[in-house]
């Protein structure tokens, strides 16, 4: 609310309160002079400037994103560059009578109002839940269950319970009638089935996508009706054309097949389209989080009716570029970033805000960073990014904001005005502050890291799907758009005046006018809080020629002997701070390719100065277009230890020194304290938000540390953060930091962590900003311990005995109690299919660069379900610094269902994989196809997180290990290892019973050897020595039986072996032959030659039982159900062959043999193999006969007695066979109906010429159950169908659900069985369950793999 528009209040509460709410503080502008600047220059509010928001996407329905302050459309385009919303619409169809069948099988009715001169439609499909952000998916599933599912399911369950109770009351607990017993079992099964459905995962519906060209532009429509009613859906062009967007399921839209009286679940998720130039790819763009919308509102939101809510640049135009991949919980990918950079260049973007970032192992390097620099230096785009939220320790800035030379990294500032309305904190207690988590510089290579600071919190709009209008968010993610919005106004002003500033000019204007805060060093706030009005005046006063527009950036290099080149001077470790260091520093202005001639004529005379005496350098420099060198000497030897020392070498233009430094070279020294003991402590009087830093040289040989933080004063509700870091070469701070909080009511925090001896350890303590200004006492204690070993322990099952050595450091004795546990099992998989190709459309960049991709396909067989991660060793550890544009992994089931994805930092993505076959696709991207060609054989590491770790015994000698001497096992009590002494331990193999299923040679375990006896160390994950246990080979182990003897059949002659082999080949072709006559002719021939050979008859039986050629019986009912049915001739053949098999196998003889023991019966033991083969043949024959007879019986039943899909050919009795998919059912949900009255017993059921009575069917089923349990997986389908013949649909559904569960758990396809469940539920009126399973079938069986 704009307080200036309110009238005066008749009364005011006592005290300092005002009835005017400080709305301005919810969107801080005063602190950066933005409020004053726009008051002076209202037309310099960002108009004429195009800003790109690289984030999770901006919701185009946001009130603040509709128009600019000049009434123009605010959002120029809304793009999803991740690929997560891509739909393959390359399938082209023409309509027939105004209808097209979609890929889901839904009939799509084309509205008469659509224009399509070609008559061709591109179709695709998309699972709805793939579009949902993670939080929304959780919410929709919960609301669906609460509002839609429960109302239907509770009614159905209550009705089933009522039926069961009624039967109990009528029949009681005992009965003499089998019929009563069977009916009771059916009712119980029905209730159990209904209760089991609550646990079935809701996968959501699949929507059809249809795209066409209306003669002028491409259009697309999403079937949000889910029933083909396209007239009720919204056709739209690409957003860029006219700004159209829609809502997936707005409130009040009924979703089939449920009644409109049942409330639909409104996701309120906004979507729009981006369609490729040929219509073969349709992007469905949705915001993958609320973050991007919040950021956009800060940067440029405009609210015509409530201008107090405006963002920093209400006149700016915005292009939303989603880089937060929905498959990766909104993580950015190199694919999205490089596409976004190219789109920015192509669209002429003036400024980019990117409130994203990660730690980087190597600063200012990598394919993504190279493309970012190209965008800034070649196209003059100002790039603003968050510095990171990983403080308060030094060198915690992230990429790209704090590690890239061409990016303005922004830290997060807090003012007293923000504290009260945002956090409910009494503002007079809060000084100007930096958020404790705001990342600090310098970068690992010495650059400042943080350029500027800005307010790091705001309350503003978020997408409607968040179920709220506004939200408080804080972080450098908020300070970055605050700065970017202010800078947009600066650009707007200069563009309006005909003098658009260059990137270096804007950087210097901001850095030379930033407001210092006194309490914070430059590594924390950079060059100060943004002062936009002062920066504007600086730009206006900039003399021509001092900093030409043609300079794109300054390249600063600091070289010391043969060490890696840095962008600043950073002396952190004792080896660097114990002597005077000399650097050759070069400064070079970089000109664009088109401005090369300007560089030839450029020259400025600079004065060089440094205010601190520990830095000595030349006082002048002639700056031209070449690397210009000055020698710098840094003397840290006279500086006090255990302190941060920061200085700058500043280069001023000699003619205009008042402009401030043209170039700054940061000098950072963290001279560590060298300990004389193995411990250190300090007391600290803490003030809110002010870090207290100690720098300690970790004693040589130390491997771990234990730190204690004690809250001495124990002031209630106080909070501290202790942050300990070591900077290791080419390792991000993520690899070596420990970060913990302690609250005021806690006495002590204790934490152990690994350290590297000889390197500097920073211990940073900060107290929360949200408390009183008074000092609060705290105490920090740290102690070190050292046990040397190899960097990792490598073990192998190729060695009979594996050993390793532990050695105590020289500083003192160490309490040890070594334990070794394996926690991960890693399979290394090689690609079986590789494809290298040039990409098109979005990946052919505007400058002609074509991105190529290497698509690697891997097969994974999961023998036992569990938690898995996917890793490409040496590649997925990197993102911004990666040598490739992108590495993206997608996991699919055997039926092409998308299971999950991972990318950089694979430890963040754990996938629960069930038993079964999977295909893993990996996409690697690079502009140079030769680079990708070298990666064709890239192995994939599949990491299985063991459900329980494998602990291995440790022995004190190899002899004890071999002999299994338990007395020589390592004791469970701790012992003392004297200083500088060592001891050896020996490790046995992993026992066979502990080996994971599917283990093979080349796989290995990962684990940890925990050497310490103190539980403070041993109880902390990550503290210890890494262990790798390699499985060089693995096979079936020998039996433990002494000198076993196996009976074998007599050896055949060569002639007999040849004859049998020829016969067996012919038997195989009985099944393989595609022609019925050929297969039957071969069978007739073989039974003449081998009339008693069982495999001949079994092969023909399999052919007939799984016969694909079927006769369809015409039906005229509206639902159009056409069941499959065997011919009477095929049925007769099945009965004949099963009779022959039973005649040959002599079931009674087999039963008699099986009922006796044959351990000491030589003849009986010799018959064992034969009897087992005969038993298997009997079971197969009975199964096929029962299945065929049951199908025949079902086909002859009345239509009202059963759903006709039950009468389909049984299919996978002896072998897996795929069924065609049924269409959707759109009926309303009602309580389950009672099955019709059963027929009288022995009433014949006629199926053309096949006549089966209930008595005949019952006898066959009874005979089958003598040989196989009804609940056996092989018999479950028959058991379910037989229950249906009796009208026992509860038992039928229960058995089918069990069959689905068992089939899925074995990694096989249960599609046809789940379709049967859906059809039966439709028949019983359980439409909500039917729809649940039909959705699952659509999601689990995709026509193609999900696009990258």
């Amino acid at each position: 609310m704009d307080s200036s528009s309110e009238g005066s209040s008749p009364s005011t509460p006592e005290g300092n309160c005002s009835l005017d709410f400080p709305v301005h503080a919810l969107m801080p502008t005063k602190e950066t002079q933005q409020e004053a600047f726009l008051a002076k220059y209202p037309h310099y509010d960002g108009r004429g400037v195009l800003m790109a928001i690289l984030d999770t996407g901006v919701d185009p329905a946001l009130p603040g994103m509709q128009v600019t302050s000049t009434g123009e459309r605010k959002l120029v385009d809304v793009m999803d560059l991740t690929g997560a919303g891509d739909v393959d619409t390359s399938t082209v169809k023409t309509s027939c009578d105004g209808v097209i069948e979609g890929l889901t099988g839904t009939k799509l009715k084309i509205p008469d109002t659509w224009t399509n001169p070609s008559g061709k439609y591109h179709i695709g499909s998309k699972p709805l839940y793939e579009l949902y952000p993670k939080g929304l998916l959780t919410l929709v599933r919960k609301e669906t269950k609460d509002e839609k599912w429960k109302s239907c399911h509770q009614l159905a369950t209550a009705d089933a319970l009522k039926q069961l109770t009624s039967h109990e009351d009528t029949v009681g607990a005992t009965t003499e009638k089998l019929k009563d017993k069977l009916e009771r079992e059916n009712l119980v099964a029905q209730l159990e089935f209904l209760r089991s459905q609550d646990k079935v995962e809701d996968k959501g519906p699949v929507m059809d996508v249809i795209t066409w060209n209306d003669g002028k532009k491409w259009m697309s429509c999403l079937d949000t009706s889910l029933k083909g009613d396209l007239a009720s859906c919204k056709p739209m062009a690409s957003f860029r054309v006219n700004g159209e967007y829609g809502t997936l399921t707005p409130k009040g839209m009924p979703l089939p097949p449920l009644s409109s009286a049942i409330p639909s679940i409104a996701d309120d998720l906004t979507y729009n389209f981006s369609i490729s130039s040929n219509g073969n790819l349709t992007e469905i763009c949705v915001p993958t989080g609320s973050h991007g919308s919040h950021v956009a509102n800060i940067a440029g939101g405009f609210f015509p009716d409530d201008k107090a809510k405006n963002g920093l640049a209400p006149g700016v135009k915005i292009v939303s570029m989603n880089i937060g991949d929905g498959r990766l919980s909104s993580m950015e990918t190199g694919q999205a970033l490089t596409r976004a950079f190219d789109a920015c260049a192509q669209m002429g973007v003036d400024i980019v805000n990117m409130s994203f970032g990660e730690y980087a192992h190597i600063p200012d390097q990598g394919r993504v960073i190279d493309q970012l620099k190209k965008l800034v230096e070649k196209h003059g785009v100002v790039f603003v990014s968050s510095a990171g939220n990983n403080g308060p320790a030094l060198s915690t800035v992230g990429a790209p904001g704090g590690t890239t030379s061409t990016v303005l990294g922004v830290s997060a500032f807090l003012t007293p005005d923000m504290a009260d309305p945002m956090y409910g904190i009494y503002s007079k207690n809060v000084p100007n502050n930096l958020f404790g988590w705001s990342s600090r510089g310098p970068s690992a290579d010495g650059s400042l890291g943080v350029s500027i600071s800005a307010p790091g919190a705001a309350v503003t709009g978020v997408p409607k799907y968040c179920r709220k209008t506004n939200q408080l968010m804080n972080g450098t993610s908020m300070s970055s758009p605050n700065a970017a919005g202010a800078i947009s106004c600066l650009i707007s002003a200069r563009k309006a005046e005909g003098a658009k500033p260059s990137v270096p000019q804007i950087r210097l204007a901001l850095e030379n006018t930033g407001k210092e805060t006194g309490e914070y060093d430059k590594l924390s706030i950079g060059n100060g809080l943004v002062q936009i009005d002062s920066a504007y005046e600086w730009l206006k006063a900039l003399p021509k020629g001092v900093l030409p527009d043609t300079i794109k950036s300054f390249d600063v290099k600091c070289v010391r002997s043969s060490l890696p080149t840095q962008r600043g001077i950073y002396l952190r470790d004792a080896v660097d701070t114990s002597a005077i260091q000399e650097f050759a520093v070069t400064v070079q202005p970089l000109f664009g390719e088109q401005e090369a001639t300007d560089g030839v004529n450029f020259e400025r005379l600079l004065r060089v100065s440094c205010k601190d005496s520990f830095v000595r350098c030349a006082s002048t420099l002639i700056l031209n277009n070449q690397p210009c060198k000055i020698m710098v000497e840094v003397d840290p030897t006279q500086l006090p230890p255990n302190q941060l020392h920061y200085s700058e070498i500043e280069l001023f233009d000699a003619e205009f020194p008042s402009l401030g430094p043209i170039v700054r070279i940061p000098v950072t020294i963290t001279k560590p304290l060298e300990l004389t003991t193995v411990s250190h402590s300090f007391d600290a009087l803490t003030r809110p938000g002010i870090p207290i830093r100690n720098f300690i040289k970790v004693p040589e040989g130390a491997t771990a540390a234990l730190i204690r933080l004690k809250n001495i004063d124990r002031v209630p509700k106080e909070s501290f953060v202790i942050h300990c870091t070591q900077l290791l070469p080419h390792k991000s701070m993520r690899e070596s930091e420990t970060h913990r909080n302690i609250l005021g009511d806690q006495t002590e925090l204790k934490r152990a962590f690994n350290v590297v001896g000889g390197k500097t350890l920073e211990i940073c303590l900060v107290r929360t900003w949200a408390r009183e200004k008074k000092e609060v006492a705290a105490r920090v204690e740290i102690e070190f311990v050292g046990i040397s070993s190899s960097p990792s322990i490598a073990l192998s099952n190729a060695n009979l005995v594996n050993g390793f050595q532990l050695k105590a450091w020289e500083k003192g004795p160490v309490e040890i109690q070594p334990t070794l546990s394996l926690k991960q099992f890693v399979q290394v998989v090689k690609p079986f299919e590789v494809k290298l190709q040039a990409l098109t459309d979005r990946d052919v960049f505007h400058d002609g660069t074509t991105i190529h991709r290497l698509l690697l396909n891997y097969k994974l067989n999961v023998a036992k379900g569990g938690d898995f991660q996917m890793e490409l060793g040496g590649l997925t550890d990197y993102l911004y610094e990666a040598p490739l544009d992108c590495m993206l992994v997608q996991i699919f089931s055997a039926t092409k269902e998308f299971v999950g994805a991972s990318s950089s930092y694979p430890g963040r993505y754990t996938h629960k994989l069930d038993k079964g076959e999977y295909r893993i696709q990996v996409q690697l991207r690079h502009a140079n196809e030769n680079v990708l060609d070298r990666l064709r054989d890239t192995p994939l590491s599949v990491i299985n997180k063991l459900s329980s770790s494998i602990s291995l015994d440790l022995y004190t000698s190899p002899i004890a290990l071999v002999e299994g001497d338990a007395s020589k096992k390592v004791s469970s009590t701790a012992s003392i290892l004297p200083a500088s002494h060592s001891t050896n331990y020996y490790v046995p193999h992993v026992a066979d019973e502990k080996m994971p299923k599917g283990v093979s040679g080349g796989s290995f375990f990962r684990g940890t050897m925990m050497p310490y006896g103190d539980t403070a160390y041993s109880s902390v994950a990550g503290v210890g020595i890494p262990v790798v246990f390699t499985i060089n080979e693995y096979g079936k182990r020998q039996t433990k039986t002494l000198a076993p003897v196996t009976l074998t059949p007599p050896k055949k002659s060569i002639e007999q072996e040849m004859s049998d082999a020829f016969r067996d080949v012919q038997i195989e072709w009985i099944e393989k032959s595609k022609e019925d006559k050929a297969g039957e002719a071969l069978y007739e021939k073989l039974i003449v030659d081998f009339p008693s050979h069982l495999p001949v008859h079994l092969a023909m039986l399999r052919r007939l039982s799984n016969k694909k050629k079927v006769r369809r019986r015409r039906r005229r009912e509206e639902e159009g159900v056409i069941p499959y049915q065997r011919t009477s001739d095929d049925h007769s053949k099945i009965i004949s062959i099963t009779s022959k098999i039973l005649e040959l196998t002599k079931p009674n003889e087999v039963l008699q043999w099986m009922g006796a023991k044959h351990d000491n019966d030589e003849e009986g033991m010799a018959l064992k193999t034969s009897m087992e083969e005969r038993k298997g043949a009997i079971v197969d024959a009975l199964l096929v006969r029962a299945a065929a007879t049951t199908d025949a019986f079902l086909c002859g039943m009345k239509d009202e007695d059963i759903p006709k899909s039950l009468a389909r050919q049984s299919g996978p009795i002896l072998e897996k066979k795929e069924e065609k998919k049924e269409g959707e059912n759109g009926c309303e949900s009602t309580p389950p109906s009672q099955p019709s009255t059963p027929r009288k017993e022995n009433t014949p059921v006629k199926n053309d010429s096949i006549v089966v009575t209930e008595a005949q069917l019952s006898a066959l089923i009874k005979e089958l159950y003598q040989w196989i349990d009804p609940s056996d997986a092989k018999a479950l389908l028959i058991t379910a169908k037989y229950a249906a013949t009796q009208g026992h649909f509860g038992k039928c559904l229960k058995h089918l659900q069990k069959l689905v569960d068992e089939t899925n758990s074995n990694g096989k396809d249960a599609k046809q069985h789940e379709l049967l469940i859906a059809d039966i539920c439709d028949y019983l009126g359980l439409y909500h369950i039917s729809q649940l399973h039909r959705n699952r079938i659509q999601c689990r069986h995709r026509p193609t793999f999900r696009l990258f």
Side-chain angles (χ1 to χ4, degrees), residues 405-691:
S405 55
T406 55
V407 175
L408 286 166
V410 188
S411 64
F413 203 76
L414 173 78
T415 67
D417 286 349
M418 297 162 63
D420 190 329
M422 290 187 187
Y423 297 97
I425 303 297
Y426 184 45
S427 61
K428 289 191 176 180
N429 285 342
V430 181
N432 284 323
N433 222 313
L434 194 72
F435 282 102
W437 35 253
S438 186
S439 290
R440 269 69 167 184
S443 177
D445 64 353
S447 69
L448 184 59
V450 179
S451 303
I452 52 177
S453 61
V459 177
T460 190
V462 291
K464 192 176 180 181
Y465 80 77
C466 297
R467 306 295 198 266
K468 62 184 76 171
T469 303
N470 297 304
Q471 183 176 346
L472 167 64
M473 292 189 189
N474 56 29
T476 55
S477 286
M478 283 62 250
S479 62
S480 181
N482 190 295
I487 296 168
S488 296
C489 295
L490 190 62
I491 298 171
S492 175
R494 297 302 289 158
K495 285 182 76 172
E497 295 166 354
K500 180 184 176 181
S502 68
V503 174
Q505 289 172 353
I506 290 174
R507 175 184 285 274
L508 286 177
L510 295 168
E511 292 180 345
N512 286 344
T513 60
K515 180 181 178 182
E516 297 183 1
T517 62
E519 293 281 6
Y520 291 96
D521 52 60
K522 282 198 170 185
L523 298 175
S524 300
I525 63 168
N527 291 284
L529 192 64
V530 169
Q531 302 294 288
I532 205 66
D533 192 31
S534 299
Y536 171 66
E537 295 299 331
W538 188 95
L539 282 174
K540 287 202 303 182
L542 178 64
K544 187 176 181 180
V546 175
L547 194 63
D549 297 347
T550 51
I551 293 179
K552 303 303 181 183
S553 65
F554 288 95
D555 183 35
V556 177
K557 293 179 180 178
C558 303
V559 181
R560 177 170 48 135
S561 64
S562 60
L563 296 175
T565 301
Q566 296 186 312
R567 291 178 294 149
I569 296 174
Y570 191 8
L571 304 178
R572 183 177 173 101
D573 295 322
V575 67
D576 299 317
T577 61
S578 58
I580 297 173
Q581 306 293 339
E582 187 176 55
F583 293 83
V585 178
T586 61
V587 179
Q588 180 183 11
L590 299 180
F591 293 84
E593 296 175 2
Q594 298 178 353
E595 296 86 4
T597 55
D598 294 337
V600 173
N601 300 321
F602 175 77
E603 182 177 279
R604 300 299 300 179
L605 303 179
L606 303 183
R607 297 289 298 181
V608 183
S609 68
C610 181
K611 64 181 181 180
D612 292 291
S613 60
F614 60 86
V615 179
R616 292 187 290 273
C617 58
S619 60
T620 60
L621 178 69
I622 301 174
L623 184 66
N624 54 39
N625 70 336
Q626 300 297 315
C628 304
K629 184 169 70 174
I630 56 173
M631 298 305 297
V632 177
E633 185 180 270
V634 180
D635 183 7
T637 59
Q638 303 304 314
L639 297 175
N642 201 17
Q643 291 183 26
L644 167 65
H645 305 278
Y646 179 81
S647 186
E648 287 182 339
I649 301 170
E650 299 177 321
L651 281 65
F652 295 84
D653 189 282
E655 187 178 356
F656 302 102
S658 61
L659 291 174
I662 302 299
V663 176
R664 292 179 172 87
I665 301 165
V667 179
T668 307
I669 302 174
T670 57
K671 187 174 182 179
L673 175 68
E674 299 201 30
L675 303 180
T676 57
T677 65
V678 298
S679 62
H680 174 70
S681 64
F682 63 90
D683 294 325
L685 291 176
T686 61
R687 291 179 294 158
I690 306 300

Side-chain angles (χ1 to χ4, degrees), residues 147-205:
E147 297 182 26
K148 291 171 58 179
W149 174 268
K150 281 186 178 179
S151 59
C152 302
H153 203 60
Q154 287 177 352
L155 183 61
T157 305
D159 189 77
L161 183 59
K162 182 179 178 182
Q163 294 176 40
L164 177 60
T165 304
S166 175
H167 193 274
E168 289 175 341
D169 293 341
T170 304
V171 176
T174 60
T175 181
E176 297 178 355
K177 298 179 181 179
L178 178 61
K179 179 180 178 182
D180 290 339
K181 179 178 181 295
L182 295 176
E183 182 59 29
R184 176 72 60 83
E185 291 174 351
N186 176 60
L187 293 172
V188 170
Q190 178 176 267
L191 188 60
E192 290 175 348
F193 168 77
L194 289 171
R195 287 173 175 170
S196 73
Q197 297 307 288
D198 273 325
K199 300 176 183 178
V200 178
E201 183 186 7
D202 169 25
K203 290 185 176 289

Side-chain angles (χ1 to χ4, degrees), residues 851-965:
I851 303 299
H852 296 76
R853 79 163 181 177
L854 184 68
L855 184 63
L856 304 167
N857 287 268
Y858 304 82
K859 288 180 181 178
L860 175 64
N861 180 22
V862 176
K864 182 181 178 182
D867 293 337
F868 292 81
Q869 295 172 348
M870 307 297 158
E871 178 183 280
L872 297 169
L875 288 177
T876 46
D877 292 336
Y878 307 111
L879 174 55
Y880 291 95
E881 71 274 39
L884 302 178
D885 288 6
C886 185
M887 301 80 62
L888 188 56
V889 181
Q890 292 195 134
I891 307 169
F892 300 94
S893 71
T895 56
K896 298 186 177 68
E897 178 188 11
F898 173 73
V899 177
S902 68
S903 185
S904 300
Y905 321 123
R908 299 181 182 181
Y909 310 107
T910 298
H911 310 282
K912 289 191 176 296
L913 301 184
D914 296 324
K915 178 182 176 182
E917 297 285 341
Y918 294 86
R919 175 179 285 205
I920 302 171
Q921 292 188 336
V922 174
Q923 177 182 263
L924 306 178
R925 290 166 49 102
H926 199 280
N928 188 338
E929 60 183 312
N930 294 324
V931 172
L932 295 175
D933 194 54
R934 290 195 288 269
L935 301 175
R936 284 179 172 273
D937 295 324
T938 300
L940 175 71
S941 295
V942 180
I943 304 168
N944 179 201
K945 299 173 71 175
L946 300 178
S947 56
S948 58
S949 60
I950 299 173
S951 296
L952 297 181
D953 293 328
L954 300 180
Y955 290 82
T956 55
S957 78
I959 296 175
L961 187 154
V962 173
E963 293 179 349
D965 187 350

